[in-house]
Amino acid sequence: FNIGIAGANFSCKKGDSFLVSKVIDYNSRSILTLPHQGKKLTCTPKPTTKIDIKNTLVDMESYGFLKASKKFIKDENIFIQKVVSDFLDATIPSKEEVYKLIKSYYNTHQQG
């Protein structure tokens, strides 16, 4: 299970969370998929403010995580959950903001 932050280039709110079903390596355009219903995510090698792939989450690590995980874990047991931290602007979220976003996600989704 990988949970983290991602930028978004579609209409949503900061703090919204999405399960990921498709991860695209931006440079090679290689695609890895998961059997869950979810959003697509584009993985870039460095922070970016523009991306030519529409309706996508954007981060820098999910492709590597998924590629490595698929070598050892069945696809149905791999989950990537991303919390929206920005909208591909130049602002980098602080550690405190990331902590609050992830904590808010956890508090909303913990089992009773």
Side-chain angles (χ1 to χ4, degrees):
F1 198 97
N2 173 276
I3 182 170
I5 60 169
N9 71 353
F10 56 90
S11 181
C12 64
K13 293 183 276 182
K14 189 183 280 191
D16 284 353
S17 65
F18 298 93
L19 185 63
V20 173
S21 60
K22 179 190 298 187
V23 181
I24 304 164
D25 178 73
Y26 186 72
N27 287 340
S28 70
R29 302 297 168 123
S30 176
I31 298 172
L32 298 174
T33 61
L34 290 168
H36 324 296
Q37 292 293 317
K39 292 295 276 181
K40 105 182 120 181
L41 182 144
T42 303
C43 203
T44 62
K46 60 184 180 177
T48 186
T49 57
K50 291 183 181 181
I51 196 150
D52 60 347
I53 299 172
K54 295 184 185 328
N55 195 29
T56 187
L57 295 162
V58 180
D59 80 355
M60 296 175 13
E61 70 281 339
S62 290
Y63 188 84
F65 166 81
L66 185 52
K67 189 172 183 180
S69 295
K70 281 177 164 277
K71 291 181 180 181
F72 304 102
I73 303 169
K74 292 179 182 179
D75 284 4
E76 62 268 16
N77 294 323
I78 303 170
F79 296 89
I80 300 173
Q81 186 79 35
K82 292 296 173 174
V83 179
V84 174
S85 62
D86 62 88
F87 300 98
L88 303 184
D89 51 31
T91 306
I92 298 172
S94 68
K95 289 179 188 177
E96 293 79 18
E97 187 175 4
V98 171
Y99 175 79
K100 286 178 187 176
L101 289 168
I102 300 298
K103 184 176 179 186
S104 176
Y105 166 79
Y106 176 77
N107 288 339
T108 310
H109 294 86
Q110 64 183 342
Q111 299 287 329

